[in-house]
Amino acid sequence: MASPPLLAITDLRKTVPTDRLLFEDVSLQLERGELVAIMGESGVGKSTLLNIVAGLERADSGTVTLDGTDLALLDEDGRAALRRRQIGFVFQAFHILPHLTLGQNVALPLALLRTSPAEASARARDLLTSVGLPGRSDDYPNQLSGGELQRVAIARAIAHRPTLILADEPTGNLDPETAVRVLGLLIAQMRDAKAGAVLVTHSEVAAASADRILRLTSTGLVPA
Amino acid sequence: MSAWRASIVPRWMFIGEWRAHPVRILTAVVAIAVGVALGFAVHLVNASALDRFVRGLATVNGGADLRIEAAGPGGFSEQLYPRVSRLPGIASASPVIVLRARIDGREIDLLGLDALRVASATPRLLPRPTTAGGAMAVLDPRSVFLSPAALAERHVGETASLVVDGRPQVFTIAGTLPGVSDRALGAIDIASAQDRFGRLGRIDRIDLRLATGADPDKLRAAIASILPADAVIASPTDDGNRADALSRAYRVNLEMLALVALLTGSFLVYSAQSLSITRRRSHFALLRVMGASRRMVLGQLMAEGLILGFVGSAIGVAGGAALAFGVLRLIGGDLGSGTFATGGTPPLQFDGFAALGFAVLGIVAALIGSLLPARDAVRVMPAVALKNSGDAIDPRRRPSVAMALLLAFVGAGFAFLPAVGGIALFGYGAVGLLLAAGIAAMPWLARTLLAPLARRSFASPVVTLAIDRLWGAPSQAAVALSGTVASVGLMIAMAVMVTSFRVSVDEWLGQILSADLYITADNGTPFDPAAQMRLRAVPEVARILFGTQHPMKLVADRPSLTLVVRDSAAEALPKLGRAAAARPGTLGVQISEPAARLYGLSPGSKLTLPLGARSIRATVTSVYRDYARQEGAVMIDAGQYLSLTGDAARGEAAVDLVPGADAAATMSALRRALPRAISDEVQILPTRALKARALAIFDRSFAITYGLELVAILVGLAGVAATSSAQTIARTREFGMLRHLGVTRRQIVAMLGVEGALLGLIGATRAWCWDAASRRS
């Protein structure tokens, strides 16, 4: 018997506050270890789709199930708990906290999960090494380049061993060469953690790394 | 929530913020510390002074279990003493005469004691004769025993002149009062006091020591059943209550004023936290995205406020104690009320409960200042906040004035509620609520005042940018100005109230000080009928009206009010409201406005006055304005007083000169007309000098008020500087963009200047409105 998908999105519909339809009939199934890239025009709702999957926004109708849990059945605290345990995020703008060290930034998800400081620090050090920043646990973000910061963000995204990684334009602020390296790192870490990942991107080059490329339109997700 | 508390994330967030912006955090901490320090220091100084005052009273009262005291002038019959001392439950009773004397120009309390009784009833007052005088010196009518404070430069064995009611009597200093350490007190034989100072047949007090196991309440009832009209029962508790009531209103008002600095600090914390949270909006959004709940983030921000409050309060309590110590050493315990101006340095009485109370106030102030910004922070959708990563302003949103109206409505309601225990608690609450209403209305006020300007176009892009910025982000006005508006608004209100009060006092002085000259005795009633005739006979005197004042107890645990005796009492008093005729068979009296409020009296009310060993039934005929006697006064005609009491001695006089008389020459003539013995004990002042002295006392009373207000304003201004700089730094990207568009540095500075000027105008408008509203409360 086939195991259920990691992420199952069924007939999702979303309108914006002015009652304009953003998208409808959006469905997707994602397996563990699979990377799906979602492309589309600006304003079509790619980031909104990610926010719905993360439980940060609610769809008008449809279901989102993560690892067997229907998000609609969870209250706000429940969705927050789900994000803490099972979802990792990589953002276009990195969002590395400037007043924390690199080690603290990476360990942030573990700290939210009440992991002991020693264990969290050790994991952060290992992850920073694995993303090519060995021994820099005590450095501050202002000492790093954009590419290095995104590597820190990737390390943070997988620190708590999430089952799902959501990456919103992770290479949007990077030069092409760095973008390729960072993307490769993300995919490697994702596969290593046996997590599934949804990658929202404008970049054809970035999308090409994915197992599937889909295009979001107002009438649903279609193969690109 | 427990996961959050156990998590190290809150600590990281706070330590990171501290490391990045230590000055801002320090400013907020200092604001709380200053507020707590001022409030605590004022409280400690007042408490220390009050404690010393009460101890002093206890010293003078000898530590008796119960006392019978004279209700009015002239004491009560000594026949009461044997009747009281025979009551079951009384172990010993000591009769006392209480006088106010001058020795070497200094005032002291002088007690006439029965040495044989005082040893058992109030041993603290027991005189200690020198070896030379022997034990019998205590019964010698020429002996006086002085406490160390009364002794001053004198020595045992010397003779000294004691002046009571203008009557000098020579005594030999025969020993000391070792049980009296901190009060200038003298003791003579009671028979000598009666004989030499005209108190035959009268005593002022009976000190009682209760037998072991005696029921104080039953004893009080037994004593009350035999008590004449001119005596009341008092206890040490009554002394404490009386002393407390004497200055409670002034002390509480002063402490409330001191807390204005804390209130300003709270607004400063609000400003600091608002800016900090705005700057960290994306950080908190990230945490929310990563799975921190709203409650977790709210808890984090409130915890930061708690830390600010805790640290600020700890520093404030320590600083307040140090400040109180310094104030007590430098200026003593009287902060302007005059009640505790007895000289000397009261020891600091550290009050742990008060310290805890003020610390809690500081923490609460910081928490209140953090609450609104924290609530706003968790309301923002994290996904939106992450994308915007900076200002989340929506210029389309019209600022709401609903909260401001609600606060103003509740505040206005509070203003009409009565005092609680004599303290205007609801009044203070009204002030705070109206202040909060003003701050809450700032965004709406800013948008409303700027709307006409926003619709216009200006030639200067600087002005246009400034107006558009403020119009589009009116809530920033509240954040920037809240601290200053709070303190300046309060300062304006206080200054207006004090100035109005001073003008009223000035006008009132003009009404009551209608004579050309005034004669006052420093001590007692030295103008006997002979002296009065000599003064009347001075050729330059057209008319002279004599009067006197005596304390009068109507209720044992309340401060005495003043019985004012005056020739032609009905004349020239600024009366309030209607008048009433005296009921048949009663004495018509006028009462002061404070007496009317304190005792619930009005024209037509009946009251009983202890006068001349009798209870005299009286009717209030009118209420008059009196700013001089806060505990109340009852005024009767001198002729009626003389017929009721036989007391013809007077302590003051108002002199009208014949037209063309020279005031200085008349003052000399009046002084020459006085007996030599009292000539130096008397002050003769022109009206202008007396009025100036009265106003100087008024100004001194409020000097500390102005000092406290100044501190509050400084805290507010520090807040404006801190928040303005923080807002400017937060707009770095906006300025960078403007520079890219071609706006020069000078134009950006000018834009900030225009914004500041407009914010100041908005703040001033709000402060003016608040002042008008708060004066009513």
Side-chain angles (χ1 to χ4, degrees), chain A residues 153-166:
Chain A
I154 290 169
R156 181 181 63 194
I158 59 169
H160 55 308
R161 299 182 177 85
T163 54
L164 176 67
I165 296 173
L166 303 177

Side-chain angles (χ1 to χ4, degrees), chain A residues 11-127:
Chain A
D11 296 329
L12 222 55
R13 186 177 195 275
K14 178 70 177 174
T15 54
V16 294
T18 55
D19 285 339
R20 178 175 70 86
L21 176 68
L22 202 55
F23 51 71
E24 62 181 349
D25 296 327
V26 169
S27 296
L28 169 70
Q29 289 196 347
L30 180 76
E31 303 297 337
R32 282 176 178 71
E34 184 183 14
L35 171 63
V36 167
I38 297 178
M39 304 184 71
E41 293 174 2
S42 292
V44 75
K46 301 186 295 295
S47 297
T48 303
L49 178 60
L50 280 193
N51 289 340
I52 294 171
V53 169
L56 291 166
E57 288 186 55
R58 284 199 187 270
D60 298 335
S61 62
T63 59
V64 176
T65 306
L66 177 62
D67 213 5
T69 303
D70 185 351
L71 264 60
L73 299 179
L74 300 175
D75 61 7
E76 190 179 330
D77 283 351
R79 295 198 301 275
L82 189 79
R83 288 197 298 278
R84 271 202 305 276
R85 290 193 311 268
Q86 296 196 254
I87 305 179
F89 295 88
V90 184
F91 305 98
Q92 178 179 359
F94 321 140
H95 290 303
I96 301 299
L97 299 186
H99 56 277
L100 301 183
T101 63
L102 300 187
Q104 287 171 332
N105 268 286
V106 172
L108 208 47
L110 294 170
L112 286 172
L113 286 172
R114 211 179 166 185
T115 307
S116 76
E119 196 181 322
S121 293
R123 172 108 174 115
R125 272 196 304 276
D126 293 341
L127 284 169

Side-chain angles (χ1 to χ4, degrees), chain A residues 76-77 80 83-84 111 140, chain B residues 7 19 288-289 291 294-295:
Chain A
E76 190 179 330
D77 283 351
R83 288 197 298 278
R84 271 202 305 276
Y140 281 93
Chain B
S7 158
R19 226 186 265 132
R288 292 276 309 282
V289 166
R294 268 192 229 264
R295 228 176 324 145

